[in-house]
Each structure stands twice: as C-alpha cells, then as structure tokens.
Amino acid sequence: MTTTGNSGHEASHATLTVGQLARAAGVTANAVRFYERYGVISGYRSSGNARRFTVDAVCRIKLALAAQRVGITLKESAGILAGIPPLSPDLDRWAAAGEELVRIGRDRISRLHETVNELATLEFLQADPRAERSGVPSGAAGSR
C-alpha cells in the first residue's frame, strides 16, 4: 500500500517513480500497481503526492515474477518478502527469501512432475481395491 508522507525514507536514498520502477523491473506501470496492491512492494507518497518506491522494489518484483512462473502466488511471495525491510542491505535476508522461494518452487515442480507421471501411466484409472470389493467396475468408483 502507498502511504502518505516520507515514511522514514530519506531524500538521500534513491527512489523511483512508477514508470521508472516499471522500466527497471521489465513490467508495465499497471503491473507495478498490481504488485503494490498484493503487498509484494510498498510505496509512499512524496510531498508532491507522487507515488515513490525504494530501489529494492526492482528486486522484489523480479523475484515475484520468477516465483510466479513456477506457480508461487503473489500472496506467498509477498509474505516471504515481507521479512525484508525496505532498503535492507542484509544479504542473508535476501538469500533466505530466495532460498524459500526456491524451496517452494521445487516442491511445486515435484508435485507437478508426479501428476504428469500419473497421467502418463494412467495410474489413476487402475482399479480401486475398495471398488472391486463393492462390485463397482474399475474407473467408475466416483461415477455413481
């Protein structure tokens, strides 16, 4: 969410407008607003009422974009990135967030791989032992 005022951001820190952030992150200005709405990034209003973002918003958007490609939701990304304060120079925090996104992504990929293998073998169509005992034909257990 955009807040009013400086919110502790000093003028000496580089800040970006919506357009500058969009160009730097490789997204549209509407996408920047979308990521802000979902809490991936947060901005503030300058004294001239312009929306501004700290430079680390570029990294936050790029991480969220990569995470989305493996099925990680914006809500999940926002939650992970929320542990990193704006302008944090703590590389351990950034690395931990990246590692958590990788862990979640690998888990999603593994589950997807299992599902694809199941589809390839048609394993899910094989007889359900409970259905055979009840006299229901194979593959028809859920059709009643």
Side-chain angles (χ1 to χ4, degrees):
M1 285 283 168
T2 300
T3 57
T4 306
N6 193 306
S7 298
H9 300 288
E10 298 175 16
S12 64
H13 291 299
T15 60
L16 304 170
T17 64
V18 171
Q20 290 168 329
L21 175 54
R23 280 188 296 283
V27 297
T28 65
N30 282 339
V32 168
R33 292 179 189 97
F34 183 76
Y35 285 116
E36 183 180 19
R37 215 172 15 260
Y38 275 86
V40 172
I41 59 172
S42 60
Y44 66 95
R45 295 278 179 184
S46 68
S47 58
N49 204 31
R51 184 185 284 125
R52 305 292 289 192
F53 299 89
T54 55
V55 294
D56 61 308
V58 175
C59 293
R60 293 171 191 275
I61 289 174
K62 287 185 175 190
L63 281 169
L65 277 169
Q68 281 182 284
R69 290 195 299 266
V70 294
I72 298 173
T73 67
L74 289 179
K75 183 178 180 180
E76 289 171 303
S77 290
I80 291 165
L81 295 171
I84 306 170
L87 299 172
S88 175
D90 186 347
L91 293 180
D92 289 339
R93 280 185 154 169
W94 284 100
E99 288 168 7
E100 179 65 6
L101 290 168
V102 167
R103 187 196 63 73
I104 293 169
R106 284 187 174 144
D107 183 56
R108 299 261 166 111
I109 290 168
S110 176
R111 284 186 287 154
L112 184 59
H113 193 271
E114 290 171 10
T115 301
V116 169
N117 285 341
E118 186 179 314
L119 286 170
T121 63
L122 300 178
E123 196 174 292
F124 62 95
L125 293 177
Q126 293 177 5
D128 180 354
R130 293 171 297 171
E132 286 179 6
R133 285 192 303 268
S134 67
V136 177
S138 173
S143 62
R144 282 192 168 185

